Amino acid sequence: MASLVYINLLLQLLLVISLFHFGLAARRIAESDETQNTLLFQYHNGPLLTGQIQVNLIWYGKYKPSQRAIISDFITSLSTSKPTTAQPSVSKWWKTIEKYYDLVNSKKPSGLVLSLGSQTVDESYYLGKSLSNKQIIELAWKGGQKNAINVVLTSADVTVEGFCSSKCGTHGSSKSASVKGKSDRFAYIWVGNSETQCPGQCAWPFHQPIYGPQSSPLVAPNNDVGLDGMVINLASLLAGTATNPFGNGYFQGPKEAPLEAASACPGVYGKGAYPGYAGDLLLDPTTGASYNANGVDGRKYLLPALFDPSTKTCSTLV
């Protein structure tokens, strides 16, 4: 009997020791992951976009004027020169990006001021309705090529190489036309309207997700699942373009598939977010729409969390 009690006590002691080591190991793994993530998200010594930059919009395919206004008002809302009374604002969201510039040159930081530039509308589908990545760059050339970000926006009936299967949009850079033997690089962005092709992938949380935990879709703040989804993706890519325009700025992971200022915080829009839940958001009492940022002329938007380089955490407006 005594030996049986001794054995039971020994087993309990071994269990306590095992649990202690398991907890210690888990904590060390978590600390290791946290340290690794902190170290990996770093500056790679390349240039950031600075100065006065115009955002030129190239509309490819058919859009209603009201749809084009959703995007153009978002770009205008980014500027602090046109302050939005209602808070939190789109311009406040963009202020997190300014912290990256402070880190590059803390003594004399040079900032970035975005403004709405030209808008080109092509409803003729002159390149067809199935575009390659090379053709996206060709379209991006339609915008200005100096001190510019050219944004190509393809309509819901246009397919693009890799769209839905691996991406909702992308950003990159290209050389401008040569002048006296010299050419500059300009940044470009492409975003597609996913409303009829893959809203569960590229317009969540305004549509039921294709994978993962299932939850009811939120009401889009501008009552347009496709365009409100485009705003989310455009916002994410603008953040990446500003802080990693030429592939050697701020990013985490491999250069070929980097996690950038917004893509490092996937699926996070408000505090308390977890897979399948966008977070605690603001609710429009009239429309029932979910949002986290106010824009010009009473606009409301849902914008992704940004990686804050000063706190090394994903920062949300609400």
Side-chain angles (χ1 to χ4, degrees), residues 19-300:
L19 288 172
F20 170 77
H21 282 295
F22 177 78
L24 183 62
R27 188 169 73 249
R28 283 175 175 171
I29 290 171
E31 290 171 351
S32 175
D33 286 345
E34 184 178 348
T35 303
Q36 186 181 35
N37 288 336
T38 301
L39 293 174
L40 283 175
F41 203 96
Q42 59 184 309
Y43 177 49
H44 294 79
N45 302 315
L48 310 186
L49 290 186
T50 58
Q52 302 279 342
I53 300 290
Q54 286 194 325
V55 180
N56 302 313
L57 305 179
I58 298 106
W59 299 92
Y60 187 80
K62 289 182 170 57
Y63 286 94
K64 298 175 184 176
S66 59
Q67 291 180 311
R68 293 199 290 268
I70 293 171
I71 300 290
S72 60
D73 284 351
F74 166 65
I75 300 299
T76 302
S77 301
L78 289 166
S79 174
T80 53
S81 63
K82 294 186 177 181
T84 302
T85 304
Q87 294 295 326
S89 64
V90 174
S91 58
K92 182 181 179 182
W93 172 81
W94 188 251
K95 276 190 170 296
T96 298
I97 297 299
E98 295 178 6
K99 296 181 181 182
Y100 288 84
Y101 291 78
D102 295 340
L103 290 176
V104 171
N105 189 349
S106 57
K107 293 183 179 179
K108 191 179 178 182
S110 53
L112 169 66
V113 179
L114 297 180
S115 62
L116 179 63
S118 64
Q119 296 194 59
T120 303
V121 179
D122 182 353
E123 296 183 335
S124 67
Y125 302 94
Y126 88 101
L127 291 176
K129 292 188 176 182
S130 181
L131 305 179
S132 66
N133 292 328
K134 186 177 180 180
Q135 287 173 314
I136 291 295
I137 298 175
E138 182 179 336
L139 287 171
W141 270 64
K142 286 181 171 287
Q145 296 168 17
K146 188 174 179 61
N147 299 324
I149 301 173
N150 294 336
V151 180
V152 178
L153 302 152
T154 52
S155 59
D157 56 348
V158 175
T159 62
V160 177
E161 181 183 346
F163 188 33
C164 295
S165 62
S166 61
K167 58 190 176 185
C168 302
T170 190
H171 78 87
S173 64
S174 180
K175 285 189 176 181
S176 63
S178 179
V179 178
K180 295 182 179 180
K182 293 184 178 180
S183 62
D184 297 318
R185 287 184 296 178
F186 70 91
Y188 70 86
I189 291 172
W190 159 71
V191 178
N193 185 341
S194 67
E195 184 173 16
T196 59
Q197 297 183 52
C198 55
Q201 288 173 274
C202 297
W204 185 84
F206 304 127
H207 191 279
Q208 201 82 12
I210 294 178
Y211 309 109
Q214 298 296 301
S215 56
S216 299
L218 304 180
V219 177
N222 295 285
N223 198 32
D224 192 313
V225 170
L227 268 292
D228 278 301
M230 290 180 80
V231 168
I232 291 175
N233 296 319
L234 176 57
S236 176
L237 291 165
L238 275 171
T241 299
T243 56
N244 187 33
F246 308 119
N248 52 5
Y250 279 99
F251 64 88
Q252 171 181 302
K255 183 178 180 180
E256 296 75 22
L259 291 177
E260 298 173 324
S263 57
C265 305
V268 179
Y269 299 93
K271 288 181 174 61
Y274 55 82
Y277 178 62
D280 301 331
L281 305 175
L282 301 175
L283 197 67
D284 187 311
T286 303
T287 64
S290 296
Y291 69 101
N292 60 8
N294 292 280
V296 298
D297 299 328
R299 287 282 187 193
K300 292 177 173 59

